Amino acid sequence: MTIGRLGVVMFLLFVIESTLVPWFIPTSLAGRLYPHFTLVFVLYAAMYGTRHKALMLGLLFGLLQDVVFYGSLLGLHTFAMGLIGYVTGLLLEKRKVTMMTALFTIAVCCMLYEIIIFAVYRVFWFTRESLAYAVVDHMLLSTFLQLGFALAVYVPARRWVQSAIPVRQPEKEEE
Amino acid sequence: MIGLILFIAVIGFSLRDRQLSAPEKFVNDSVAYVQQWLYKPAGYIAGFFEDIRNIRSLQEENEQLRTTAAAYARDKIKYNVIEKQNAQLEKDLKFTERQRKLNDYEYLIAQVVSVSSDPYNPTIKIDLGSENGIKENMAVVTVDGLIGIISKVSAFSSNVEPITSLDEKSPNSKSISVTVLGRENESFGIIATYDQENGRFEMSRIPENDPMIVGDTVITSGLGRVFPRGLVVGTVETTPQAGDFGLTKVASVKPLADFNRLTEVFVVKMSDYEGGTP
């Protein structure tokens, strides 16, 4: 698995989250569940790869999301994904990350990502929802969706990232 | 820090009402090309299971449709006579070419290729673009009613902003002038805001002596010359109450169209379309 292949996998995920996933969300939950599968992969790249690669992937796929679904703002997802990828990498890159740590980090980061997105739209008055309402309405549910996805792809994602982005310290390979 | 400054600069830049540049169009079209192979089959599979579930209510629906079809057949005869009469009158009164074409709309069928996964920017992508004659600010409808406005156009795909993301206070707000079906000359209102928390439109600027009542069907009035006349938006849910300094009234409107799981939409093309903001 090279970094290019990882990119292709993430592009497929990006396509799937905007085409297939809306059909599998039950109608009663429509408008409350939003998939961000590429973000999960950016976080895996940050935890099991390097922070620079995570930043790069985050910026790339954030930009893709921004350009493809350009409504009124450009660069928001680029910023949010890049920032989260980089900061997660900065904090956890050098540590040994177990599965529980990884899932916990993903949950926190997904929440953070939703909050950044909400905050920017709120600042520019694109929405008038309150933060408390937004958290209950879609942020928590979406985070659980991301968590489920992260758990499902944990094993292959970790293997792919570790073979695509070689890390210098060899003692991190197996735990 | 530099990233933050750059980010704010980019957002400020993109807030303007701008056309897409060539690389953006290229990315848009190529991604839309990939997306269209996935969205529709998924829709068919999901639709198949839904059909199985709905099979029992089919007979009932069939009977209902038969009575409406009979009513339509009756109205059709009436309509033909009136249309002919109308054309004759327009000729007698020497209508200009522009006036005559005012209510001449063309419906372009478009397939939805994907839906954005951003809660505050629920953009829908469709597979028609500027090559098919799509322009910004055209209305997008389903059989149930108005669902959105074309916001960005590439060569072979375009982005639709659903009317559920309308907000009066947002920097690039749009508003729709509406009226009530059956009393087009007496009622007036403007829909510029969708309340996310209770799922209703806010209709404002209703005149003091408006005869609007609960249950009335709200349609576009076509007064802005951007939206065509007569697209269904929703039904009035509360009686108009005083708002905005007490001079005009506000009412809440329940949307009629379903904004989830869209597959086929229609873009309404006006024959003498010249652009402009609504």
Side-chain angles (χ1 to χ4, degrees):
Chain A
M1 194 73 151
T2 59
I3 186 93
R5 293 239 180 105
L6 189 68
V8 172
V9 168
M10 284 176 68
F11 177 73
L12 282 179
L13 280 176
F14 171 75
V15 171
I16 284 170
E17 75 179 20
S18 59
T19 53
L20 290 184
V21 177
W23 290 102
F24 290 104
I25 293 172
T27 337
S28 52
L29 285 177
R32 301 187 64 185
L33 272 182
Y34 294 95
H36 300 295
F37 296 158
T38 44
L39 177 69
V40 174
F41 261 71
V42 168
L43 290 172
Y44 276 132
M47 287 184 285
Y48 297 114
T50 60
R51 62 179 189 274
H52 296 109
K53 288 283 170 4
L55 174 69
M56 199 190 77
L57 286 173
L59 290 180
L60 190 68
F61 283 95
L63 190 65
L64 194 65
Q65 162 84 21
D66 272 328
V67 168
V68 168
F69 296 107
Y70 183 17
S72 37
L73 287 184
L74 204 59
L76 168 57
H77 290 268
T78 320
F79 170 73
M81 263 200 206
L83 180 77
I84 286 179
Y86 187 77
V87 170
T88 313
L90 203 64
L91 294 176
L92 292 175
E93 189 182 38
K94 298 257 154 45
R95 308 234 173 101
K96 220 180 202 176
V97 182
T98 60
M99 188 171 160
M100 281 325 283
T101 326
L103 290 181
F104 180 72
T105 317
I106 285 171
V108 171
C109 288
C110 285
M111 211 58 200
L112 197 67
Y113 178 73
E114 303 269 2
I115 288 172
I116 293 177
I117 303 271
F118 168 80
V120 173
Y121 277 117
R122 192 72 179 73
V123 162
F124 286 97
W125 274 104
F126 278 103
T127 177
R128 47 179 78 186
E129 282 173 11
S130 62
L131 179 63
Y133 176 81
V135 167
V136 176
D137 184 49
H138 62 259
M139 286 184 191
L140 281 175
L141 282 169
S142 301
T143 304
F144 277 116
L145 177 70
Q146 259 71 264
L147 215 54
F149 173 75
L151 193 63
V153 299
Y154 178 78
V155 177
R158 186 174 173 181
R159 207 172 50 230
W160 289 342
V161 167
Q162 278 174 341
S163 61
I165 310 167
V167 185
R168 261 162 260 130
Q169 294 107 335
E171 78 271 7
K172 263 190 74 179
E173 288 298 313
E174 292 298 326
E175 55 201 45
Chain B
M1 196 62 217
I2 294 169
L4 193 70
I5 295 169
L6 193 73
F7 158 71
I8 291 170
V10 168
I11 283 190
F13 172 68
S14 63
L15 264 176
R16 289 184 307 157
D17 206 9
R18 59 184 276 271
Q19 302 283 321
L20 294 182
S21 61
E24 283 172 293
K25 282 186 185 172
F26 175 72
V27 172
N28 264 337
D29 289 341
S30 28
V31 172
Y33 185 76
V34 180
Q35 283 169 334
Q36 74 184 18
W37 297 112
L38 278 170
Y39 190 87
K40 245 187 123 179
Y44 280 139
I45 294 166
F48 177 70
F49 286 112
E50 207 138 288
D51 286 348
I52 290 177
R53 224 174 297 150
N54 291 347
I55 216 154
R56 258 178 236 143
S57 59
L58 266 186
Q59 196 173 356
E60 209 174 298
E61 200 183 322
N62 199 10
E63 263 166 40
Q64 256 174 19
L65 286 178
R66 226 176 277 160
T67 44
T68 32
Y72 272 128
R74 263 200 319 275
D75 287 348
K76 171 89 178 157
I77 300 165
K78 221 156 110 191
Y79 171 78
N80 280 346
V81 176
I82 292 172
E83 197 192 17
K84 234 176 247 165
Q85 209 175 6
N86 198 21
Q88 182 62 38
L89 287 173
E90 280 180 6
K91 215 167 128 196
D92 292 348
L93 290 169
K94 299 192 176 57
F95 267 39
T96 61
E97 194 64 18
R98 194 183 71 85
Q99 280 172 320
R100 220 174 290 166
K101 285 203 168 156
L102 205 58
N103 292 323
D104 210 3
Y105 310 129
E106 203 183 324
Y107 286 77
L108 305 169
I109 299 180
Q111 306 290 339
V112 175
V113 294
S114 63
V115 182
S116 164
S117 62
D118 177 346
Y120 301 107
N121 175 26
T123 304
I124 298 164
K125 274 185 103 65
I126 57 171
D127 68 345
L128 294 184
S130 56
E131 293 285 304
N132 309 90
I134 306 283
K135 292 199 185 80
E136 276 181 32
N137 288 327
M138 281 184 172
V140 180
V141 299
T142 61
V143 279
D144 298 323
L146 184 68
I147 57 152
I149 304 161
I150 301 272
S151 61
K152 295 285 183 279
V153 185
S154 312
F156 302 104
S157 67
S158 35
N159 290 4
V160 178
E161 183 192 348
I163 47 175
T164 48
S165 65
L166 287 176
D167 197 323
E168 234 174 343
K169 284 186 174 161
S170 83
N172 49 3
S173 68
K174 296 179 167 119
S175 44
I176 310 164
S177 77
V178 291
T179 178
V180 164
L181 184 67
R183 284 198 302 274
E184 284 88 350
N185 296 327
E186 296 162 45
S187 290
F188 177 77
I190 283 189
I191 286 181
T193 304
Y194 179 78
D195 193 338
Q196 300 282 351
E197 302 192 10
N198 60 16
R200 301 287 183 267
F201 292 111
E202 236 170 63
M203 179 159 60
S204 55
R205 318 273 197 288
I206 305 169
E208 190 70 26
N209 50 2
D210 206 298
M212 200 178 288
I213 51 163
V214 175
D216 276 350
T217 307
V218 176
I219 59 171
T220 54
S221 69
L223 288 175
R225 291 278 180 278
V226 174
F227 288 129
R229 203 165 72 184
L231 304 176
V232 178
V233 181
T235 51
V236 179
E237 216 184 31
T238 57
T239 36
Q241 283 152 0
D244 307 355
F245 318 113
L247 292 173
T248 54
K249 290 175 167 181
V250 290
S252 88
V253 173
K254 189 180 166 203
L256 271 184
D258 186 7
F259 295 88
N260 299 313
R261 301 194 171 181
L262 299 165
T263 46
E264 254 170 17
V265 295
F266 303 94
V267 183
V268 188
K269 193 176 166 189
M270 294 173 88
S271 57
D272 60 339
Y273 190 83
E274 279 156 27
T277 48

